[in-house]
Amino acid sequence: MRYSQKGMATTPNKLTAAQKETRQGFVYLPLIAGWLVPGAGHFVLGKWVRGTLLAVSIISMFALGIAMQGKIYSGAHDILEMLGLVGDLGNGLLYVVARVLGLGADQVMVTTADYGRAFIVVAGLLNVIAAVDAHNIRTGRKA
Amino acid sequence: MFRPDHFTAVLLFALFASVVFGITQRDTPRRMVRFGIYCFVLFAGSAIVLSWLMFLIAR
């Protein structure tokens, strides 16, 4: 059950100095940092192990998708491409780097390329989940 | 170019997705590990079960 702890006398005393330090500043920083660079949202909050595991998982998934010659969506000509583009954009700077360097394939030509396309899209969606998780930790909804 | 077979791709997908799900959907490290393993088993297990179903239907 979730409830508001605002105004309760014990809550501020439970926060350590390090937690108080991270609670100051721009509230959306972990969300934006986590979206741009996988795991960075948790790094900002001092959650090094969680951030490292998230970064390794999401970057590996994206890199494997590229290695399988997965398609990187560059435009939205129909609804399916639009959904794929939204998923790809979840990768943040990884997507930008892939577009700039011309990584991935323009068309799905082999079976593994279709796996790769799915890996890239899902990596983006997982990155969004991780960024929102960092935001929830920042706002105190999650420990 | 990396060309995994279908089952290897399923296992890699399940591994990475389960790590992210475990960390983001639970609060404590112990519960994160348990939920991550649970997700991995469901991902891989459902792929195996569905594969056998499709194999039997196609015969």
Side-chain angles (χ1 to χ4, degrees), chain A residues 12 15-31 41 43-46 134-135 137-140:
Chain A
L15 294 175
T16 64
Q19 285 174 323
K20 285 177 182 173
E21 186 78 20
T22 58
R23 293 287 160 91
Q24 296 169 351
F26 185 44
V27 72
Y28 294 107
L29 179 64
L31 180 69
F43 291 148
V44 168
L45 297 168
H135 179 66
I137 295 171
R138 172 66 179 81
T139 56

Side-chain angles (χ1 to χ4, degrees), chain A residues 42 49-50 53-54 56-58 60-61 64 67-69 110 112-113 115 118-119 122 126-127 129-130 133 142-143, chain B residues 1-10 12-17 19-29 32:
Chain A
H42 289 76
V49 177
R50 292 188 202 180
L53 286 170
L54 289 171
V56 168
S57 297
I58 293 166
S60 297
M61 203 164 188
L64 285 174
M68 289 184 229
Q69 289 293 302
V110 291
T112 50
Y115 303 163
F119 269 57
V122 173
L126 291 175
N127 191 37
I129 293 174
D133 183 62
K142 187 184 173 190
Chain B
M1 185 176 170
F2 179 53
R3 289 190 172 190
D5 58 49
H6 199 170
F7 190 61
T8 305
V10 166
L12 287 170
F13 184 98
L15 176 67
F16 297 133
V19 169
V20 176
F21 282 172
I23 292 172
T24 57
Q25 303 301 313
R26 291 294 182 270
D27 287 337
T28 61
M32 287 176 185

Side-chain angles (χ1 to χ4, degrees), chain B residues 1 10 16 23 29 35 40 47 51-52 55:
Chain B
M1 185 176 170
V10 166
F16 297 133
I23 292 172
F35 189 67
F40 182 83
S51 301
W52 273 106
F55 172 75

Side-chain angles (χ1 to χ4, degrees), chain A residues 87-98:
Chain A
D88 277 7
L89 285 173
N91 286 297
L93 290 179
L94 290 177
Y95 174 77
V96 176
V97 170

Side-chain angles (χ1 to χ4, degrees), chain A residues 57-129:
Chain A
S57 297
I58 293 166
I59 293 171
S60 297
M61 203 164 188
F62 184 84
L64 285 174
I66 293 291
M68 289 184 229
Q69 289 293 302
K71 177 181 178 180
I72 294 278
Y73 288 94
S74 56
H77 303 297
D78 57 54
I79 186 69
L80 286 178
E81 286 205 351
M82 197 180 296
L83 292 171
L85 180 63
V86 169
D88 277 7
L89 285 173
N91 286 297
L93 290 179
L94 290 177
Y95 174 77
V96 176
V97 170
R99 284 292 304 278
V100 169
L101 298 179
L103 301 175
D106 294 329
Q107 295 292 327
V108 173
M109 301 295 283
V110 291
T111 311
T112 50
D114 198 35
Y115 303 163
R117 178 196 55 76
F119 269 57
I120 294 168
V121 171
V122 173
L125 297 175
L126 291 175
N127 191 37
V128 172
I129 293 174

